[in-house]
Amino acid sequence: LPNTPKSENYAADSNNQVNDILKLLTFNVRADNDTIKLNRVTTTVSLNNGTVRAVRLVDANGNVVASGDRVGGTDDWVFSSVDFATPLLTVNKDATVKLSVFADVDLPSNLATGTPATISATVSGVSGERSDGGVVTFSGSVSGQKMYLFRVAAAQWNVTNNSVSVNTPQTGRPTLTGTFEVQ
């Protein structure tokens, strides 16, 4: 079942990067009738302007379950276990595990400050192993909402009028007045 975060705006740092905070998608994996060793998750990350540098699968406690490997030059990222003896994680019988997909991205330096890049993710495949060794494939896909990534420009606030006056209204509390401008 999808449990996707709402679309948010993210601001790139001074290196035009968005790191460690970009949660693209949250989804649940449920194991009915048997314990499942989760071995593979395939995710497509679509970024319209920039480069996806890294993708991570994170559990509900914030622990990184796996880092994704890009499939060729595509937008697909695969999280996979080393072997069936060492799964990505185990989902106990009749239990649900919440997972999230996070990404680190680089935005182009020529991206206008008022123009966003957009990014979204879809989990299209999940597979694992039952307790009897049989392969299990989860059906369906989960898509996240589009996120907006912005470059920001620094603003400096300066007082342009040093003659700040203090007024005392009838409540007896002083207030400050003055003129400020953004440079």
Side-chain angles (χ1 to χ4, degrees), residues 93-108:
K93 178 182 175 185
D94 299 325
T96 300
V97 173
K98 184 180 279 190
L99 298 170
S100 297
V101 175
F102 281 77
D104 292 345
V105 301
D106 293 331
L107 298 180

Side-chain angles (χ1 to χ4, degrees), residues 52-115:
V52 179
R53 189 170 2 94
V55 178
R56 290 176 304 287
L57 189 63
V58 177
D59 68 15
N61 296 321
N63 301 314
V64 176
V65 173
S67 294
D69 294 316
R70 186 187 295 264
V71 179
T74 70
D75 292 336
D76 291 338
W77 293 78
V78 174
F79 306 99
S80 58
S81 60
V82 177
D83 54 37
F84 281 112
T86 312
L88 292 172
L89 60 98
T90 300
V91 183
N92 293 323
K93 178 182 175 185
D94 299 325
T96 300
V97 173
K98 184 180 279 190
L99 298 170
S100 297
V101 175
F102 281 77
D104 292 345
V105 301
D106 293 331
L107 298 180
S109 58
N110 64 351
L111 181 68
T113 54
T115 304

Side-chain angles (χ1 to χ4, degrees), residues 10-19 53 105-107 150-152:
Y10 292 93
D13 65 16
S14 59
N15 295 318
N16 297 322
Q17 296 179 338
V18 181
N19 299 316
R53 189 170 2 94
V105 301
D106 293 331
L107 298 180
F150 291 89
R151 284 187 61 234
V152 290

